[in-house]
Amino acid sequence: MNKVKLEILGLSASHSTHGSFALVLGEVSGKRRLPIIIGMFEAQAIALEIEKISSNRPMTHDLFKSFAGSFGITVKEVIISNLKEGIFYATMICEGKDGEIIELDARPSDAIAVGIRFKSPIFADESVMEEAGIKVDDLYDEDDEEEEISLESEEDADLIELLQDKENELSDIPSNKLEEMMKQAIEAEDYERAAKIRDELNNRNS
């Protein structure tokens, strides 16, 4: 497996789906971003650990860490291992006190929420990054990096508004318009919207 090391860049609330968040992972040695839509509970668990905020009672992921630690089990690393039909899959690589290595299937949100409590590194399989990673440098030229991206016409503005409407079907929008809209979403750091456009473009190219 060819692994790419990732770091957590941030969490942002979903604009279209109530109770969902976009978890943005970034390539440590590159420019690719990997946005993953996760639930509110998992987002809270990740945010609390990042900010080192303790809850009054142990949350589920804290309980998992305590339970595993009681038996001498540690999480060595978290790997986002696969992507099938728009769904991400993850594996937690665990080590027992006798050195035995155990691989556990998990949702990426749960795996990351647990992994950061063990200070475990996060990786993604290169195939996942190739399929779902957003290459920031490919979306705009270096000379234009500090320039604000403006809409070319009222038609483009209408398309942006349509995209923000959760009832709109991305399949109705031409590919060249989607590419421009993804560029604007990246510039605005709206990775949730960029991820949806990315998935639609990938479906068309598959």
Side-chain angles (χ1 to χ4, degrees), residues 37-49:
I37 306 302
I38 66 175
M40 180 170 60
F41 175 76
E42 293 78 16
Q44 181 186 37
I46 292 171
L48 288 176
E49 182 62 22

Side-chain angles (χ1 to χ4, degrees), residues 71-85:
F71 291 91
I73 299 171
T74 60
V75 178
K76 303 298 292 182
E77 60 185 50
V78 170
I79 305 172
I80 301 173
S81 52
N82 208 346
L83 175 62
K84 296 180 180 178
E85 299 179 356

Side-chain angles (χ1 to χ4, degrees), residues 73-74 91-96 98-104:
I73 299 171
T74 60
T91 301
M92 292 196 304
I93 308 299
C94 305
E95 182 178 1
D98 57 354
E100 180 184 6
I101 299 298
I102 304 168
E103 297 186 7
L104 299 177

Side-chain angles (χ1 to χ4, degrees), residues 52-69:
K52 299 301 179 184
I53 299 174
S54 299
S55 57
N56 293 330
R57 300 290 294 163
M59 297 180 66
T60 302
H61 301 92
D62 299 312
L63 178 61
F64 183 96
K65 181 179 185 296
S66 298
F67 180 83

Side-chain angles (χ1 to χ4, degrees), residues 5-6 26 33-34 59 171 174 184 198 205:
K5 191 171 184 179
L6 303 174
R33 304 287 184 265
L34 185 66
M59 297 180 66
S171 58
Q184 294 166 3
R198 171 206 65 198
N205 295 327

Side-chain angles (χ1 to χ4, degrees), residues 22-200:
L23 170 65
V24 183
L25 304 172
E27 187 176 17
V28 170
S29 58
K31 298 293 185 179
R32 290 179 291 183
R33 304 287 184 265
L34 185 66
I36 300 175
I37 306 302
I38 66 175
M40 180 170 60
F41 175 76
E42 293 78 16
Q44 181 186 37
I46 292 171
L48 288 176
E49 182 62 22
I50 290 175
E51 298 297 329
K52 299 301 179 184
I53 299 174
S54 299
S55 57
N56 293 330
R57 300 290 294 163
M59 297 180 66
T60 302
H61 301 92
D62 299 312
L63 178 61
F64 183 96
K65 181 179 185 296
S66 298
F67 180 83
S70 298
F71 291 91
I73 299 171
T74 60
V75 178
K76 303 298 292 182
E77 60 185 50
V78 170
I79 305 172
I80 301 173
S81 52
N82 208 346
L83 175 62
K84 296 180 180 178
E85 299 179 356
I87 299 175
F88 290 93
Y89 295 81
T91 301
M92 292 196 304
I93 308 299
C94 305
E95 182 178 1
K97 61 181 179 181
D98 57 354
E100 180 184 6
I101 299 298
I102 304 168
E103 297 186 7
L104 299 177
D105 292 332
R107 298 185 304 173
S109 55
D110 287 326
I112 291 172
V114 171
I116 60 175
R117 283 164 168 76
F118 284 90
K119 296 180 172 55
S120 308
I122 303 169
F123 298 92
D125 188 274
E126 175 60 34
S127 63
V128 174
M129 294 301 294
E130 288 179 358
E131 183 174 352
I134 296 175
K135 300 178 182 179
V136 177
D137 285 351
D138 289 350
L139 297 177
Y140 50 86
D141 296 332
E142 185 176 348
D143 294 339
D144 298 332
E145 189 168 353
E146 297 181 359
E147 295 182 7
E148 182 179 354
I149 297 178
S150 60
L151 297 174
E152 295 181 358
S153 65
E154 292 184 4
E155 179 185 1
D156 289 337
D158 291 339
L159 287 172
I160 292 292
E161 184 176 352
L162 284 172
L163 181 59
Q164 291 173 334
D165 182 353
K166 64 181 179 180
E167 299 300 327
N168 178 65
E169 292 292 338
L170 294 180
S171 58
D172 295 335
I173 301 175
S175 295
N176 63 327
K177 294 297 183 183
L178 286 179
E179 291 172 358
E180 178 65 22
M181 291 159 69
M182 185 164 74
K183 181 190 296 184
Q184 294 166 3
I186 292 295
E187 182 72 8
E189 297 185 357
D190 188 348
Y191 289 103
E192 182 211 0
R193 188 169 70 186
K196 291 179 180 179
I197 301 172
R198 171 206 65 198
D199 293 342
E200 172 62 23

